[in-house]
RNA sequence: GCCCGGGUGGUGUAGUGGCCUAUCAUGCGGCCCUGUCGAGGCCGCGACUUGGGUUCAAAUCCCGACCUGGGCGCCA
């Protein structure tokens, strides 16, 4: 919001971040989207009319100031503005529900209740400025790789994968659900010949969990790629993660500084462990799934991003390509793990109609519900692979946030529906 | 769904039966102050989630409700 009118005159509009009144001199710190600028009202240099006006301003009021830039070593960042005019655009009521200057840090719950104010804080705003840049990096990456960006329906008739609970909604006279994943649709698009698609969109899970890593509405980055296998999309995922980290490191330096993060860029290739190796490390029986404790242990043993590959077929969804190895029924599947949390999971998919039907039936699901999906496999479905990556968790792990809700502007969790 | 914590001014806290007309910080109001940048000094304002119970006496102990933090399960 700093528009230089000529070399000296500036106009600044923003919130009154702090007021320091020393009697004969009064400092207003005005906060714009990206900066905090000091406006200095001294009796010597500013009219008494303006001095009287500035006395009526409360913290977090919105003002517009026109004045002259003055270099002064005593000012923060070495300059300040000596005002010629002052418009009070909106007076803020008092007391404030929380303190945007970080002198007293409110709890997350209070902050989320007053999210509009919370996001005025430079640290919090920086999270979302970075999140925007991450999304930009993702689009950048996929467009360069000749992917097509798509939008699939969020109102659907059936569960995508079983497993997670769905939110039922009423769709005129029919029952419908909020989609838990774009999985089925992005696969159908492979049959339509788009070859490489990606989508950045919301997914909904009705699980009643209440943890630091779960949301009931999350943002998923999903891709699907024809003529690719699990290895191909693993490489692509690695490449994307590193692209994002690099992009943020070079384009979001100021925001990283504000948050106080020194971003370490992961190195390729990421470590890989097979499911069999992983259960060995954490002492599980073959066929067991990893609990939180095991996930933590694996994370601390490996210490950086890694893949867990070749999961037992039965612990992955029906569309996962089977893999027979050492007389065990595994799958061409993988999870991308951060030491703290799972970030992504993917696989090569089944593209054979009969095999897919068999896998759906084996899981006790009703084939009739899947006809719109299965039809796409009847008339020439290329081999393909893909994955889904949780954007919110990616931001959480990248910026070392304690709670995934910190990475979402208006999070939806077990209890929170407002704001 | 299970287990363990917690609800004290606007915000963040101290306080484990009487010393509480409740601590401290921040904030807000007033006064002083021309270089603040966690401004400072003085004065003032503002709170025990809720319903029962125990007790001479409850912020404090017990039970319920509501809200809430963490862990587990499940999940991405």
């Amino acid at each position: 919001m700093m528009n230089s009118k000529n070399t000296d005159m500036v106009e600044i509009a923003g919130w009154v971040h702090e007021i320091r009144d020393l009697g004969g001199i009064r400092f207003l710190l005005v906060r714009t989207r990206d900066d905090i600028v000091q406006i200095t009202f001294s009796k010597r240099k500013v009219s008494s009319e303006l001095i009287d006006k500035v006395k009526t301003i409360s913290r977090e009021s919105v003002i517009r100031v026109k004045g002259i830039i003055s270099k002064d070593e005593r000012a923060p960042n070495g300059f300040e503005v000596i005002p010629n005019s002052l418009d009070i655009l909106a007076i803020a009521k008092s007391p404030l529900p929380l303190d945007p200057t970080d002198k007293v840090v409110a709890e997350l719950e209070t902050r989320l209740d007053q999210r509009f104010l919370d996001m005025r804080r430079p640290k919090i705003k920086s999270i979302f400025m970075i999140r925007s840049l991450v999304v930009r990096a993702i689009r950048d990456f996929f467009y360069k790789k000749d992917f097509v960006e798509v939008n699939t329906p969020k109102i659907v008739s059936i569960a995508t994968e079983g497993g997670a609970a769905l939110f039922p909604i009423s769709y005129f006279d029919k029952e419908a659900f909020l989609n838990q994943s774009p999985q089925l649709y992005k696969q159908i698009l492979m049959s339509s010949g788009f070859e490489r698609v990606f989508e950045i969109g919301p997914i909904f899970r009705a699980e009643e969990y209440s943890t630091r890593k779960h949301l009931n509405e999350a943002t998923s980055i999903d891709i699907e790629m024809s003529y690719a296998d699990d290895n191909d999309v693993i490489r692509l995922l690695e490449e994307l993660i590193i692209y994002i980290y690099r992009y943020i490191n070079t384009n979001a330096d100021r925001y990283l500084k504000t948050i106080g993060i020194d971003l370490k860029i992961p190195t390729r290739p990421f470590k890989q462990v097979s499911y069999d190796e992983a259960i060995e490390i954490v002492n599980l029986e073959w066929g067991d799934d990893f609990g939180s404790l095991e996930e933590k242990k694996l994370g601390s043993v490996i210490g950086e991003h890694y893949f867990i590959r070749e999961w037992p077929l039965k612990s992955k969804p029906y569309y996962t390509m089977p893999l027979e190895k050492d007389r065990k029924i595994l799958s061409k599947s993988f999870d991308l793990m951060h030491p703290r949390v799972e970030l992504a999971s993917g696989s090569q998919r089944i593209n054979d109609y009969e095999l897919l039907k068999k896998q759906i039936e084996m899981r006790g699901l009703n084939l009739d519900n899947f006809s719109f999906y299965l039809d796409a496999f009847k008339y020439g479905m290329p081999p393909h692979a893909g994955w889904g990556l949780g954007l919110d968790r990616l931001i959480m792990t990248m910026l070392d946030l304690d709670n995934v809700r910190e990475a979402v502007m208006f999070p939806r969790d077990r209890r929170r529906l407002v704001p």
Side-chain angles (χ1 to χ4, degrees):
Chain A
M1 288 292 290
M2 252 180 78
N3 308 311
S4 295
K5 295 272 158 119
N6 57 47
T7 49
D8 298 324
M9 283 291 288
V10 284
E11 180 177 321
I12 291 168
W15 290 265
V16 177
H17 188 66
E18 278 191 78
I19 301 168
R20 298 203 190 94
D21 177 11
L22 278 68
I25 189 165
R26 185 179 291 245
F27 302 101
L28 253 61
L29 301 185
V30 172
R31 193 186 60 242
T32 62
R33 191 177 76 185
D34 291 320
D35 295 293
I36 293 177
V37 176
Q38 175 163 290
I39 318 292
T40 303
F41 294 77
S42 73
K43 276 184 182 163
R44 266 208 308 268
K45 293 182 184 164
V46 174
S47 70
S48 59
E49 201 184 326
L50 274 195
I51 297 282
D52 287 342
K53 205 170 180 182
V54 78
K55 285 181 183 165
T56 67
I57 298 173
S58 55
R59 287 165 76 227
E60 293 305 312
S61 293
V62 182
I63 63 170
R64 183 193 293 122
V65 172
K66 289 178 195 167
I68 294 162
I69 290 188
S70 159
K71 283 186 184 164
D72 194 318
E73 284 178 5
R74 294 170 298 183
N77 307 319
F79 78 95
E80 60 193 2
V81 174
I82 310 300
N84 290 116
S85 75
L86 166 66
D87 294 323
I88 299 173
L89 304 177
I91 285 284
K93 289 203 195 308
S94 178
L96 298 163
L98 56 83
D99 175 18
T101 63
D102 290 342
K103 281 177 194 156
V104 180
V105 180
E107 288 184 2
L108 183 57
E109 200 60 24
T110 310
R111 290 172 39 209
L112 292 176
D113 282 341
Q114 310 293 337
R115 194 56 150 161
F116 68 96
L117 254 186
D118 188 44
M119 290 192 287
R120 287 186 191 178
R121 296 164 57 206
K123 269 190 185 180
I124 307 305
K125 181 165 284 119
S126 295
I127 293 171
F128 296 106
M129 298 306 281
I130 289 174
R131 185 174 161 128
S132 166
L133 289 167
V134 167
V135 171
R136 187 167 168 172
I138 293 166
R139 291 215 161 88
D140 216 44
F141 178 85
F142 284 122
Y143 281 117
K144 277 185 195 161
K145 297 270 183 195
D146 203 22
F147 274 69
V148 178
E149 182 164 7
V150 299
N151 299 283
T152 61
K154 303 306 155 202
I155 302 175
V156 298
S157 65
I158 56 152
T160 309
E161 334 190 354
L166 300 180
F167 287 108
I169 58 170
S170 93
Y171 191 71
F172 306 110
D173 56 340
K174 291 184 183 125
E175 188 185 41
F177 302 93
L178 293 177
N179 206 180
Q180 66 181 124
S181 151
Q183 184 62 33
L184 272 36
Y185 292 94
K186 61 181 185 168
Q187 285 193 263
I188 290 172
L189 293 174
M190 294 303 96
S191 177
S192 302
F194 287 96
E195 290 193 2
R196 300 163 171 223
V197 300
F198 79 101
E199 174 167 18
I200 302 170
I203 56 171
F204 304 91
R205 310 275 160 111
E207 298 291 339
E208 295 194 12
Y209 31 52
S210 151
T211 74
R212 290 185 291 173
K213 57 184 182 183
H214 287 102
L215 293 164
N216 291 294
E217 178 177 358
T219 301
S220 177
I221 300 144
D222 266 272
I223 72 137
E224 207 63 38
M225 195 175 173
S226 287
Y227 313 110
D229 64 14
D230 47 343
N231 287 302
D232 296 324
V233 291
I234 279 177
R235 276 196 294 274
L236 188 74
L237 180 50
E238 272 178 0
E239 221 181 302
L240 173 67
I241 298 290
I242 286 164
Y243 188 89
I244 293 168
Y245 271 70
R246 285 212 180 112
Y247 190 94
I248 294 306
N249 225 205
T250 54
N251 295 292
D253 189 49
R254 61 177 308 168
Y255 301 121
L256 291 171
K257 276 199 184 115
T258 303
I259 299 172
I261 291 285
D262 185 19
L263 204 60
K264 278 209 194 91
I265 297 169
T267 49
R268 285 183 74 192
F270 293 177
K271 288 190 177 167
Q272 297 194 1
V273 292
S274 66
Y275 171 85
D276 282 19
E277 289 162 347
I279 53 169
E280 195 89 1
I281 295 170
V282 295
N283 295 316
L284 284 178
E285 296 288 310
W286 198 88
D288 288 349
D289 278 317
F290 299 93
S292 299
L293 290 175
E294 288 80 24
E295 242 178 60
K296 247 174 239 167
K297 185 168 177 198
L298 264 179
S300 67
V301 169
I302 299 174
E304 53 188 312
H305 290 85
Y306 63 101
F307 288 99
I308 304 176
R309 302 193 57 178
E310 297 179 355
W311 291 76
L313 184 63
K314 69 176 177 85
S315 43
K316 287 289 170 185
Y318 54 82
Y319 49 76
T320 311
M321 184 67 94
L323 173 70
E324 267 187 61
K325 198 172 170 182
D326 305 330
R327 278 172 295 165
K328 282 179 261 189
I329 300 177
L330 302 174
S331 61
K332 299 181 84 171
S333 60
F334 59 89
D335 282 4
L336 170 62
M337 308 295 297
H338 178 275
R340 285 180 64 192
V341 72
E342 177 182 343
L343 290 180
S345 74
S347 62
Q348 184 176 331
R349 324 299 194 186
I350 294 171
N351 66 310
D352 180 79
Y353 175 69
E354 295 301 332
L355 179 57
L356 184 57
K357 256 180 34 179
K358 197 178 117 199
Q359 289 298 135
I360 291 173
E361 282 178 316
M362 270 175 60
R363 278 156 225 263
L365 298 168
N366 185 181
L367 275 180
D368 296 342
N369 292 148
F370 290 88
S371 58
F372 77 97
Y373 170 65
L374 282 167
D375 283 351
F377 290 76
K378 274 193 206 165
Y379 309 102
M381 171 65 93
H384 59 282
W387 42 252
L389 165 66
L391 177 63
D392 317 290
R393 284 184 174 185
L394 176 69
I395 304 286
M396 171 177 80
T397 54
M398 188 162 68
L399 302 182
D400 199 25
L401 306 172
D402 287 337
N403 194 312
V404 71
R405 279 169 272 195
E406 296 265 16
V408 182
M409 287 184 166
F410 302 103
R412 291 291 172 263
D413 60 44
R414 172 80 180 84
R415 299 191 184 91
R416 183 173 291 278
L417 192 54
V418 171

